[in-house]
Amino acid sequence: HVVGDARLAGRKFRNNGGVLELTGTDFATTVLTFNNAGTLTLVGSQGAIDTAAGVNLSLRAAGATGITVTTGGNVGIGTTGPGAKLHISGTGGPSWRITNSSAGGATWDFNVGDGGNVNFDEVGVATRLTVLKTSGNVGIGTASPGNKFTVSLGANQIAQLNDGSNS
């Protein structure tokens, strides 16, 4: 239990009105603050979070890993072992969402569904592109393409291509 300021390895911890501050080695420049609301803030030109060599960086909420950055530069959301530059893992809901919030903009979801199908949806409008896992069929304007490539406009199928077989 420490009351007042404490020094540790050339730095000073101090309580500044309920905010824990870590100073630079000059004991005057604040480089990190932690407030009562649980907000951690990097201050000034110290805007980097670093780990020891060979240690991945993980950001967690309620003990569950939300984001992982590996020492190789891969970023994982919902996974502690990202296998690509960006690796998103989870169950249910869109894998990623893009929103243009300007007038006339739209919101798009890219989703790998529970059955393994891939959907690219314009949120609130329709599924725009689907790839079925089991057959590899691709659909534009339909969530259930019955041929290798199906294009639909509303309830009307306007084009289809198949693999040349009659099955």
Side-chain angles (χ1 to χ4, degrees), residues 111-128:
N111 186 14
V112 179
D114 292 337
N117 297 339
V118 175
N119 296 308
F120 196 53
D121 306 325
E122 185 177 2
V123 175
V125 179
T127 296
R128 299 297 191 185

Side-chain angles (χ1 to χ4, degrees), residues 32 40 42 46-61 64-82 85 87:
L32 183 73
L40 181 66
L42 297 166
Q46 305 298 318
I49 298 174
D50 202 357
T51 63
V55 177
N56 293 341
L57 173 67
S58 293
L59 303 177
R60 302 169 190 230
T65 298
I67 300 173
T68 299
V69 180
T70 68
T71 56
N74 290 353
V75 175
I77 300 173
T79 178
T80 58
K85 289 298 177 189
H87 182 160

Side-chain angles (χ1 to χ4, degrees), residues 92-119:
S95 295
W96 51 269
R97 176 171 279 189
I98 301 171
T99 300
N100 179 338
S101 56
S102 64
T107 298
W108 292 82
D109 285 345
F110 178 82
N111 186 14
V112 179
D114 292 337
N117 297 339
V118 175
N119 296 308

